[in-house]
Amino acid sequence: MAEQYRVDLSALEDTIRKLNGILKDLGNANADTRYKTSLPASALGADAPGASFLEARKLTNAHTDMKRHIEEIVQHLHDVTDEFGTKTRKVHGNYQNQEAETATNMSGS
């Protein structure tokens, strides 16, 4: 007797729903990292007239580097999650089509 496999389409749908939620959250995180984490160069006194506060410049540069790195990480997570969601939707559709075709063939239509 042949083994039978069955795909739980509702589990795939649930996965897709959860991935969409993650993508929404990542979109918010992406906006936050870009627009809510700014540190003007003058915030630490680096550009104060007549001042030579090298540590402030180093901190400002370190902040800029870290901000860029965090933006890259969030974008990578978004891309990977989007790709996984796209593939999951495609698999769901393929299984759904296969089930419909099998049902049609079994009914003799």
Side-chain angles (χ1 to χ4, degrees):
M1 186 187 252
E3 290 186 40
Q4 294 182 5
Y5 296 95
R6 181 161 179 84
V7 174
D8 186 356
L9 292 177
S10 64
L12 282 173
E13 290 168 1
D14 188 46
T15 300
I16 293 166
R17 220 176 356 267
K18 288 177 182 176
L19 287 169
N20 286 337
I22 291 170
L23 282 173
K24 181 180 180 278
D25 290 343
L26 284 171
N28 294 339
N30 193 15
D32 287 351
T33 59
R34 288 191 189 280
Y35 306 114
K36 292 185 179 179
T37 58
S38 296
L39 182 67
S42 62
L44 300 174
D47 292 338
S52 181
F53 187 24
L54 298 178
E55 290 82 3
R57 287 189 183 97
K58 288 180 182 179
L59 284 171
T60 301
N61 291 339
H63 174 269
T64 301
D65 291 344
M66 185 55 68
K67 180 180 182 325
R68 186 180 66 251
H69 186 64
I70 291 171
E71 288 172 1
E72 290 169 356
I73 290 169
V74 170
Q75 185 61 50
H76 177 74
L77 289 172
H78 183 277
D79 293 346
V80 168
T81 304
D82 187 44
E83 179 182 359
F84 185 67
T86 299
K87 288 179 179 180
T88 303
R89 283 186 291 280
K90 183 176 179 181
V91 166
H92 177 272
N94 288 343
Y95 277 117
Q96 201 171 34
N97 291 343
Q98 184 62 44
E99 278 192 1
E101 186 178 320
T102 300
T104 300
N105 289 340
M106 294 297 286
S107 69
S109 300

